[in-house]
Amino acid sequence: MSASILCCCANGSGTSLMMAMTLEKVVKAQGYKVTKTHHCSLSEGKNSSMGYDIVLCPQNFTNMFDMAAKKGVKIIGMRNVMSAKEMTEKLENCGVDLK
Amino acid sequence: MLKEFVEKKHTIFVDECKDWQEAIRTCVKPLLADGTVTAQYPEDIIDNVGKYGPYFVLIPGVAMPHAQEGGGKVFKTTISFMKTQKPVQFDPDDPDSYADLFFTLASCNHDEHLEHMAALMEVLQNEDLLEDLHQVTCDQDLLKLADQYGL
C-alpha cells in the first residue's frame, strides 16, 4: 500500500517544514511508498487533513485533528520534529502499511 | 550559516531575559535593526505562543521563534541568532520547554527560506556543534566554530 502524509504546524513555515525534511529522509531511508506529502499551517491543515492517510504534527497539536482522526486519519504527534528515529518508529506503529 | 549570522550582524548575546516575552523581543532585535521585520513581528510571535504554546522549542535548549511567512511585516528572508547565558523557560509546567539558543526565522521568499531551513537543520543535527554552540559568548566564538565545522 502507499500513503499520503501531511505535515502540519501553527504557521506552516518553520516546524512543519522541518518535519517535511525529516520525512523526506525517512521515506528515502525506509523505502516507504508515499503518493503525496505536503506541509502547511494548522488553519489549512484542519480542513485538508481529511484528504490524507497520515498527519504529522508537533505533539501538543494532536487534539486539533480530532475530526480527521474520527474519519480514520492517523494523527502522529512528534516530540522532536528533527528526529528521523522517532518519526520512523511512529510511522511503523501507526497502522498504515507504507511498504 | 554561522559566518553569515556574524556578517549580517544577526547575532545577539545576553546574560538573561526576565521572561520568555522579553526573550522573543530581544531575539528579534537584530532583524528590526536592519529592517528585515517590523516591530509587529515579535508581538505576532508572542501571540502565537499564547494561542499554540511554545511549539517552536524544537529540542530542550533550542528555540526557533517565527510567525507567519510574509504578511507585510517581513521584508527579507533570513535567520537571526541569539544566545542567552541563562536559559529562558517557556512553559513553567514542562521542564523541557527551555532555550538558550534562539534561531529566529524571517521569511518572505519560500525558496530562499527552504535553503536556510535545510542549512539550519544540518546545524541542529550536528550534536558536537550543538554542544559547542551552547558555550558561545561572542561573535568570535561563532566564527571559530564556523571555521572548525566548515559551516
Side-chain angles (χ1 to χ4, degrees):
Chain A
M1 208 193 119
S2 60
S4 54
I5 305 177
L6 179 68
C7 298
C8 215
C9 74
N11 296 297
S13 60
T15 321
S16 62
L17 185 53
M18 280 207 162
M19 272 192 284
M21 291 192 283
T22 308
L23 178 64
E24 203 183 308
K25 272 190 218 165
V26 168
V27 167
K28 244 186 225 159
Q30 302 296 325
Y32 289 151
K33 293 200 180 97
V34 174
T35 46
K36 180 169 73 162
T37 65
H38 181 58
H39 71 94
C40 71
S41 64
L42 272 180
S43 51
E44 183 190 329
K46 265 189 187 171
N47 297 317
S48 62
S49 56
M50 313 274 188
Y52 290 83
D53 298 307
I54 300 170
V55 173
L56 290 164
C57 63
Q59 207 157 38
N60 53 327
F61 290 168
T62 50
N63 59 354
M64 309 260 185
F65 298 98
D66 285 350
M67 285 274 285
K70 273 187 197 147
K71 302 234 162 170
V73 181
K74 302 294 176 194
I75 314 299
I76 298 178
M78 291 287 296
R79 191 164 173 78
N80 176 354
V81 297
M82 294 184 294
S83 169
K85 186 170 169 278
E86 180 188 345
M87 195 177 281
T88 307
E89 280 169 10
K90 289 186 169 167
L91 285 171
E92 288 288 333
N93 294 317
C94 78
V96 176
D97 182 14
L98 290 158
K99 296 276 182 177
Chain B
M1 161 157 275
L2 301 180
K3 206 173 272 173
E4 220 177 309
F5 290 150
V6 177
E7 281 167 2
K8 291 189 169 167
K9 297 192 167 57
H10 285 170
T11 60
I12 184 162
F13 302 87
V14 296
D15 288 337
E16 63 180 309
C17 299
K18 74 171 171 22
D19 51 30
W20 65 263
Q21 288 90 338
E22 187 184 276
I24 297 298
R25 293 191 181 105
T26 309
C27 73
V28 174
K29 273 184 188 168
L31 300 176
L32 267 173
D34 74 351
T36 297
V37 299
T38 68
Q40 186 56 37
Y41 195 62
E43 304 309 318
D44 286 352
I45 298 176
I46 290 168
D47 286 349
N48 268 334
V49 177
K51 260 192 256 172
Y52 303 114
Y55 65 94
F56 53 62
V57 178
L58 294 175
I59 45 176
V62 179
M64 186 175 71
H66 61 283
Q68 201 86 35
E69 218 167 11
K73 296 154 195 160
V74 181
F75 303 100
K76 291 177 201 168
T77 301
T78 190
I79 302 178
S80 187
F81 174 85
M82 176 168 86
K83 172 75 175 83
T84 62
Q85 279 295 315
K86 193 168 167 256
V88 177
Q89 187 70 34
F90 280 86
D91 181 351
D93 297 324
D94 179 359
D96 283 345
S97 168
Y98 68 89
D100 64 313
L101 290 172
F102 290 72
F103 298 89
T104 311
L105 310 181
S107 167
C108 59
N109 175 312
H110 194 72
D111 291 339
E112 220 179 309
H113 179 57
L114 207 67
E115 268 174 47
H116 293 170
M117 292 293 284
L120 178 58
M121 199 135 140
E122 198 183 327
V123 168
L124 297 181
Q125 291 194 310
N126 185 328
E127 282 174 26
D128 294 334
L129 170 56
L130 209 51
E131 205 170 297
D132 288 340
L133 276 174
H134 282 296
Q135 312 303 326
V136 300
T137 57
C138 61
D139 280 351
Q140 287 311 314
D141 289 348
L142 271 183
L143 290 174
K144 231 188 273 170
L145 291 181
D147 276 345
Q148 190 182 331
Y149 288 90
L151 286 166

